[in-house]
Amino acid sequence: MRGSLVGTTVTLAAGALLTAAMTTASASPPTAPVPHRTAPVLVDCQFKKNVRPADFILACGDGNSRLTGLNWVKWDSESAVAEGVNVVNDCKPYCAKGVFRSYHVTVRLDRPAVWEKNPDVKRYTRMSVTYDDARPKGFTQTMDYPLWG
């Protein structure tokens, strides 16, 4: 009988704790979505969030264009601006035999929007790369790129 009494006591105590926990949880007000208090992120081709990255790959498939040495002078809720170098393979006579050439650039990120993969995060959706002087053949002074989402 004593074993039955101990088992009943433990069961009742566990039930009381469970009821208290459920009552406390259900009495809490629903949590509201957290507003976007931080600046947007830059999403890379592996869908990782970046803030003020030093390097960024533009040509994800082959790595033949990348931004390096990025020095961010602005990063806020509307836009971000950096200076750095765009290292581009000239692919002559073809990419495996090409030479990587460096061009000084100014990078601008803008058009922030909610990131569909993570709605609690905003991301920049466009990157503009402006070449200071020389630029790769076929490139305009400013190149606009839609960013991964």
Side-chain angles (χ1 to χ4, degrees):
M1 176 143 167
R2 181 174 177 144
S4 171
L5 181 61
V6 170
T8 303
T9 303
V10 169
T11 302
L12 288 174
L17 287 172
L18 183 59
T19 301
M22 289 176 61
T23 303
T24 303
S26 64
S28 300
T31 57
V34 177
H36 300 287
R37 292 189 185 110
T38 59
V41 298
L42 175 59
V43 177
D44 66 20
C45 53
Q46 295 177 331
F47 299 104
K48 292 182 181 171
K49 301 180 290 188
N50 295 277
V51 176
R52 297 178 184 264
D55 301 300
F56 188 80
I57 295 176
L58 288 173
C60 288
D62 56 16
N64 282 322
S65 180
R66 72 172 45 235
L67 298 169
T68 64
L70 295 174
N71 179 30
W72 296 94
V73 295
K74 177 183 178 184
W75 192 288
D76 64 28
S77 63
E78 294 301 316
S79 64
V81 177
E83 291 187 14
V85 175
N86 185 198
V87 181
V88 181
N89 187 346
D90 66 10
C91 291
K92 292 180 183 177
Y94 51 92
C95 292
K97 292 278 188 177
V99 174
F100 282 88
R101 306 202 184 272
S102 299
Y103 306 91
H104 190 267
V105 295
T106 300
V107 177
R108 180 179 172 84
L109 308 174
D110 61 10
R111 296 186 180 171
V114 172
W115 188 16
E116 291 175 13
K117 291 189 181 294
N118 187 345
D120 293 332
V121 175
K122 286 182 89 172
R123 67 178 181 92
Y124 295 112
T125 63
R126 182 177 67 172
M127 175 184 288
S128 299
V129 177
T130 302
Y131 294 88
D132 290 355
D133 294 313
R135 60 185 180 263
K137 185 176 180 180
F139 283 43
T140 59
Q141 194 72 37
T142 299
M143 299 290 294
D144 290 329
Y145 300 97
L147 294 169
W148 300 275

